[in-house]
Amino acid sequence: MNPIRLGYLYGLGAYLLWGFFPLYLKLLRPAGPMEILAHRIVWSVAFVALLLAAMRNVGFLRALLRRPRALAGIAAAAALIAVNWGTYIYGVNSDRVVETALGYFINPLVSVLLGVFVLQERLRPAQWAALGVGALAVAVLTVDYGRLPYLALTLAFSFACYGFVKKRLGLPAAEGLFVESAVLALPALAYLGWLSLRGDSAFGHVSTGHTVLLVLAGAATAIPLLLFAGAANRLPLSGLGMLQYLAPILQLGCGVLIFHEPMPPARLAGFALVWLALIVFTADALRQAHQSRTRPRTPTDSQPPVPTPTAP
């Protein structure tokens, strides 16, 4: 199969799985958000360890242990992704899927903010316009909710910071997920043990199907990331960037159409402003990518970074 076509198939597979992830998380109740998060971490380690063993790819750990700065970066990435996962699980299982979708819509705009304040990047006028419209959207949604949409902002900022750290580390998807989950595995196991001692654990006490679904949380975490890695290796940046909006669109659809969460006019107006900001942002990015392809390249030109996945 043509590599580009295969890349789009991988990308669609990843974003479809992420888009319908709220349906899976709802099935894990009555387990609480922290218990679901702990199982997701523990079974991710187990699943990816088996995968790496099958690929005979465990030598990277020895090299990694000789890089203390990389280990510190992995610990930071692990903490950020734990915050992101935990917030997302809490949002879905507290019937706020629409707000979690908002977080992943505004995530690209937060990434641009990081570029300005952390990397001192200079923005183009269209990017400033997109950020301004995005800020207005947050203000409108704050009025609608009667509070800051803190779940959405936590998801957006935690994942943008996670993507920033991951770009600096440069670890492949499977290896990165294994090490990050391994960092969190001991606290997760300790928490699950404490729940079990208290008699509050849902694992093994609801039904066989529920127990199997908790175990499958590791595969549900790893498979979309591996599909995304396959897409990132084959697709141009513009194609991958367009696909990333599929997941929050599907999540929003799940919240409104399947879980019947409210979407009053003011909230719809806030989302419309977010979409307008993303249209401006994406159009500018596509125009810039086209100009980069058409102008003669020099040896000093750098390749654009591959965007991190918009993943719950």
Side-chain angles (χ1 to χ4, degrees):
M1 184 181 290
N2 182 289
I4 296 292
R5 184 175 299 176
L6 186 60
Y8 276 111
L9 287 176
Y10 283 148
L12 282 171
Y15 285 113
L16 284 172
L17 289 173
W18 280 325
F20 289 113
F21 204 60
L23 301 178
Y24 174 75
L25 289 178
K26 291 280 190 180
L27 297 175
L28 301 184
R29 295 189 296 186
M34 289 299 294
E35 183 177 2
I36 296 171
L37 174 62
H39 278 289
R40 187 175 184 182
I41 291 166
V42 169
W43 297 113
S44 291
V45 174
F47 180 83
V48 181
L50 289 173
L51 185 65
L52 292 174
M55 295 165 58
R56 301 178 183 273
N57 188 16
V58 293
F60 78 97
L61 283 173
R62 289 191 296 271
L64 194 59
L65 291 173
R66 295 193 291 268
R67 298 168 57 197
R69 290 184 65 182
L71 291 174
I74 289 168
L80 288 166
I81 200 61
V83 169
N84 185 269
W85 286 354
T87 303
Y88 186 78
I89 294 166
Y90 170 76
V92 170
N93 283 347
S94 59
D95 301 320
R96 291 157 74 177
V97 175
V98 168
E99 191 174 345
T100 63
L102 173 65
Y104 290 111
F105 275 123
I106 64 177
N107 175 68
L109 303 177
V110 174
S111 296
V112 173
L113 275 179
L114 279 180
V116 173
F117 291 107
V118 179
L119 301 177
Q120 284 79 49
E121 293 177 353
R122 298 182 64 181
L123 298 187
R124 298 182 292 275
Q127 292 175 310
W128 279 116
L131 287 176
V133 175
L136 178 61
V138 171
V140 170
L141 289 165
T142 298
V143 173
D144 172 65
Y145 281 114
R147 56 169 173 78
L148 273 174
Y150 62 88
L151 275 183
L153 293 174
T154 301
L155 287 171
F157 276 90
S158 62
F159 201 78
C161 292
Y162 172 74
F164 175 78
V165 173
K166 288 281 285 183
K167 281 186 176 70
R168 291 300 181 94
L169 291 172
L171 289 176
E175 288 85 341
L177 178 62
F178 174 77
V179 180
E180 290 157 19
S181 300
V183 168
L184 301 168
L186 283 179
L189 284 169
Y191 178 75
L192 291 175
W194 177 73
L195 272 185
S196 183
L197 288 174
R198 289 185 54 188
D200 293 333
S201 174
F203 185 74
H205 295 93
V206 177
S207 67
T208 302
H210 182 266
T211 301
V212 171
L213 286 172
L214 282 173
V215 172
L216 290 176
T221 299
I223 290 172
L225 276 174
L226 297 175
L227 288 173
F228 174 82
N233 289 335
R234 292 169 173 83
L235 292 181
L237 183 66
S238 56
L240 202 59
M242 293 297 291
L243 280 176
Q244 72 175 330
Y245 299 124
L246 177 61
I249 288 170
L250 292 173
Q251 291 162 16
L252 178 64
C254 287
V256 175
L257 301 176
I258 298 177
F259 303 132
H260 306 293
E261 294 184 14
M263 180 62 82
R267 193 167 306 169
L268 185 59
F271 270 85
L273 286 170
V274 171
W275 296 329
L276 175 60
L278 291 175
I279 290 169
V280 173
F281 175 78
T282 305
D284 178 71
L286 291 173
R287 181 181 60 81
Q288 191 69 17
H290 176 72
Q291 290 178 353
S292 298
R293 285 197 301 269
T294 54
R295 71 180 173 86
R297 295 187 62 85
T298 66
T300 57
D301 284 343
S302 59
Q303 293 291 333
V306 173
T308 50
T310 303

